[in-house]
Amino acid sequence: MTAAASATTDTPSPGPRETANHRLVLPADANQYGTLYAGALLQYGLETAYATATRAVGPAANLMLRRVIALECRQSVPVGALVEIRGAVLSVRRGYLAVGVVGMPLSGQDLPWMDGLFGFAQVGPDGLPCELPVEVEPVAACSFWQPLVERHAKLARVRGATASWLNKKEPPPEETPPAAGEPSRLTP
């Protein structure tokens, strides 16, 4: 058995709650080094994550990207490579889904070339977040998704700003002028 055939048989097939997306890396997706440009990497991951979330919610889905929780490029991908990205819903809360994506190992490689976490919110007709229209089950715990499940749990404990500062009526704090002899922070 060749190394490529061995890698294929060791990789699990997508489960019923997973989405698989295949893309050919084209020159338009490349950086100056002839490898996948970071913006295209983000696009590939987001397309797979959105398809996964929409498929999980069904026809009543009206999902909005809430945040890119994490995105890691682990290996450069050359132009001409055919890549596979798998997605699965890892976590569900009322009107929010966290989706994990994994770039399956390239030919002759053992490790994923990328992985990421994306958060989506269900949006109502008024454009505001609302509850999901159906019950969505996250992917069953398995060794394949476990690293992303653990990363998501760790990052979920680190709460970012929720834009509450936008609702405050207080003016922004005044800058104190520099002391005599100190350079101004405004001058180049």
Side-chain angles (χ1 to χ4, degrees):
M1 183 181 297
T2 67
S6 173
T8 305
T9 57
D10 294 342
T11 305
S13 296
R17 291 196 177 115
E18 297 177 19
T19 302
N21 186 10
H22 294 85
R23 295 288 300 257
L24 176 63
V25 178
L26 299 172
D29 300 327
N31 58 25
Q32 68 272 26
Y33 302 106
T35 60
L36 184 63
Y37 167 66
L41 169 80
L42 177 61
Q43 178 183 347
Y44 288 10
L46 181 56
E47 286 174 356
T48 303
Y50 186 78
T52 302
T54 301
R55 181 176 172 213
V57 174
N62 188 20
L63 299 168
M64 170 185 81
L65 176 65
R66 174 78 169 88
R67 67 174 42 123
V68 177
I69 302 167
L71 186 64
E72 304 250 351
C73 180
R74 303 191 178 282
Q75 174 181 348
S76 30
V77 180
V79 167
L82 180 63
V83 296
E84 177 183 357
I85 305 173
R86 293 197 190 161
V89 174
L90 303 179
S91 173
V92 180
R93 286 184 280 138
R94 291 178 57 181
Y96 182 82
L97 302 169
V99 176
V101 295
V102 174
M104 300 307 291
L106 300 171
S107 179
Q109 301 294 319
D110 295 330
L111 298 174
W113 60 273
M114 67 82 72
D115 60 40
L117 295 163
F118 296 82
F120 296 92
Q122 175 73 10
V123 179
D126 57 359
L128 297 173
C130 63
E131 291 194 24
L132 293 168
V134 297
E135 186 174 325
V136 176
E137 290 291 323
V139 70
C142 69
S143 61
F144 181 78
W145 292 107
Q146 196 58 36
L148 281 177
V149 169
E150 289 172 4
R151 186 178 327 149
H152 181 257
K154 180 179 178 182
L155 293 173
R157 291 190 299 265
V158 180
R159 305 273 175 184
T162 59
S164 60
W165 60 272
L166 289 174
N167 298 326
K168 292 184 180 179
K169 302 291 185 217
E170 303 169 17
E174 294 281 329
E175 285 274 336
T176 56
E182 282 186 30
S184 170
R185 286 179 259 167
L186 301 177
T187 58

